[in-house]
């Protein structure tokens, strides 16, 4: 992962595509948790149950998907495939708030993670 | 869930099938973590990387799948579908050790969870 | 755990106190996630950021604490100690809503989990 | 976090110290999971139950600790304090293998995360 490679602490071998996908999942997990918090603090339409739930769903499947890859699991294609689907739904839901900077940043990260996970799922299939 | 209903503390409405599936996922998560520990302590063939990894994969996706249902997520069909697949692989891998009581108990729980998750995935589709 | 012992699938040795504590943590994790959902659906004061956040905090540390015990970790006293603290805060926050059945049920489970975790932390020290 | 700030996608306000601590926890989580995998593949003394368990413990509490901070939880001092303890134990256990590059890299990351979490715990107290 980028943050490890910069510091030169990563020694385990892994394809650059998988390293990138782990990075994308961890970034998406982080921004979804922060965005859920932002929405709760904004209240109103931002905090409607379905939206916050989707952000929490996306955060969790991104974490799980990253962990399968970090374990070098042979089944990471399954979790990456599911993760890609959830990220797309989350991105679309965030894009309903074009005036909210945090939400738009979150949507962008979700779409990047979806593309990366879809690619990994195809490579694993 | 069974343990909540027994104590009368569960008040949130949820279908009996979903309650059962959450129970099955939590039980499978628990026994997979305990079995991973058992395998590490046995060493040798029990502790080969691929096997322990699969137990950890199964424990984690079961937890994620249970959490999606506990949040009443509209996307639980996706995680239940993936969970069913991982549980079947884990069961088959445990069944390579017919003389090991812990492994056989784990396989049984994995197969029950797989059936339950598959059913939930179909109902959601 | 209760649900395993009922079905006769648990074979790993563990003290009854630890089994009870795992059960309490898993139950608390589950009800906190369901209560967070309930609060988001209620909206208003139920869904204020600090309260939902505390329910999510409690759900997560309960899960982590259960997992340390399921792994038979020598460090479970540390996570149980932290879990007991978080559960007490969560219980007190839920008790601000005496007319809400779900919240009161959650508070009761949190207090039981706090007591159980405190006991485990003392036994481990 | 570094990886978000580089890409300019982070918009939520957070102290630089907390951002650094989240980064340190996520890095430690990742390297501990990869090191557990490495140990399982090496087998022998590398894969002894107590050592693999400690790596899994460390990975999990780092993730939980990061998530508390990402939610901007008022209780992050508690999880950071516990995380610092677990990281120190994990570092010491990895340092028993001075000839293993992955283990030494893991120990270094664990010590950095322990220092960062200890600092956060003090600031929160």
């Amino acid at each position: 992962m980028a943050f490890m490679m910069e510091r030169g602490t990563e020694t385990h071998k892994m394809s650059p595509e998988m390293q990138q996908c782990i990075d994308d999942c961890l970034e998406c997990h982080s921004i979804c948790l922060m965005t859920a918090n932002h929405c709760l603090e904004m209240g109103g339409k931002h905090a409607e149950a379905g939206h916050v739930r989707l952000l929490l769903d996306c955060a969790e499947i991104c974490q799980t998907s990253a962990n399968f890859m970090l374990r070098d699991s042979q089944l990471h294609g399954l979790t990456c495939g599911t993760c890609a689907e959830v990220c797309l739904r989350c991105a679309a839901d965030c894009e309903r708030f074009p005036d909210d900077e945090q939400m738009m940043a979150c949507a962008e990260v979700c779409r990047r993670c979806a593309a990366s996970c879809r690619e990994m799922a195809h490579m694993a299939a």
Side-chain angles (χ1 to χ4, degrees), chain A:
Chain A
M1 285 142 297
F3 58 85
M4 286 191 192
M5 290 185 293
E6 281 159 25
R7 283 165 160 170
T9 49
E10 209 222 335
T11 67
H12 193 82
K13 288 103 204 140
M14 198 177 270
S15 75
E17 289 83 4
M18 192 179 277
Q19 285 180 31
Q20 184 61 53
C21 191
I22 293 170
D23 243 4
D24 290 334
C25 285
L26 292 179
E27 184 181 5
C28 195
H29 166 76
S30 294
I31 202 167
C32 283
L33 276 192
M34 289 191 294
T35 304
N37 209 36
H38 162 80
C39 289
L40 289 169
E41 277 164 10
M42 295 290 285
K45 274 183 176 277
H46 284 72
E48 63 184 21
H51 183 58
V52 176
R53 196 152 52 209
L54 199 43
L55 286 161
L56 297 178
D57 284 349
C58 194
E60 185 166 24
I61 192 67
C62 283
Q63 185 173 270
T64 296
S65 186
N67 288 350
F68 268 61
M69 290 185 279
L70 287 164
R71 266 194 300 273
D72 206 12
S73 163
Q74 291 192 307
L75 303 179
H76 72 269
L78 293 171
T79 44
C80 281
T82 292
C83 191
E85 286 287 325
V86 177
C87 286
L88 285 182
R89 307 288 186 99
C90 191
D93 216 43
C94 285
E95 286 161 358
R96 294 185 299 114
F97 299 81
D99 298 336
D100 186 301
E101 198 185 351
Q102 177 74 32
M103 219 81 107
M104 292 311 282
C106 188
E108 187 192 325
V109 174
C110 288
R111 291 213 177 273
R112 186 161 55 229
C113 187
S116 187
C117 281
R118 187 166 303 256
E119 178 91 1
M120 284 307 294
H122 285 163
M123 287 171 65

